[in-house]
Amino acid sequence: MKQWIISSMETKPQEDGLTDVVVVVNWRRSATTIVDEKEYYTDVYGAMGCQTPSATDFTAYPDLTYEQVCSWLKSGLPVDEIDANLDVQLENLINPPVVTLPLPFTNP
């Protein structure tokens, strides 16, 4: 399962007559899977700049919803690439490509 986590949103107090305009969304994208009753989790994070909205498509900061901000991320980020990266990370957790074995000898 993959999901967005909105860490924070940076705003400009005033811009083009609008108040508390979101200019950056700080995000995480997480992925979780269960294999043989064991849960594996990974995530990536980033920041996405936002364009200044027009007065007609502006939503006041207190009225923003999780779904609305996630739709901005989906339209502004390469979600398929992010998800593919998460899939690789999960696969590497499930089937590590490199492991550290105990030494086959005792150090003097």
Side-chain angles (χ1 to χ4, degrees):
M1 178 177 91
K2 295 181 181 85
Q3 68 179 23
W4 294 106
I5 300 163
I6 310 302
S7 303
S8 64
M9 295 189 292
E10 300 170 29
T11 62
K12 284 189 176 179
Q14 297 288 322
E15 182 156 339
D16 295 338
L18 303 172
T19 304
D20 297 331
V21 177
V22 177
V23 292
V24 175
V25 176
N26 296 295
W27 56 268
R28 296 183 91 77
R29 181 93 168 138
S30 68
T32 306
T33 192
I34 297 174
V35 176
D36 297 329
E37 299 182 19
K38 182 176 179 184
E39 183 175 76
Y40 296 89
Y41 172 88
T42 190
D43 67 354
V44 294
Y45 62 92
M48 184 187 80
C50 300
Q51 295 179 343
T52 301
S54 66
T56 57
D57 68 358
F58 178 72
T59 302
Y61 190 86
D63 297 330
L64 290 172
T65 64
Y66 170 81
E67 291 78 15
Q68 183 176 7
V69 176
C70 288
S71 73
W72 297 349
L73 295 172
K74 290 174 191 173
S75 65
L77 294 172
V79 179
D80 289 342
E81 289 177 32
I82 293 169
D83 286 352
N85 179 25
L86 288 169
D87 289 340
V88 168
Q89 290 182 39
L90 284 174
E91 179 60 28
N92 288 341
L93 290 171
I94 297 165
N95 299 300
V98 176
V99 295
T100 303
L101 298 175
L103 294 173
F105 55 83
T106 304
N107 282 304

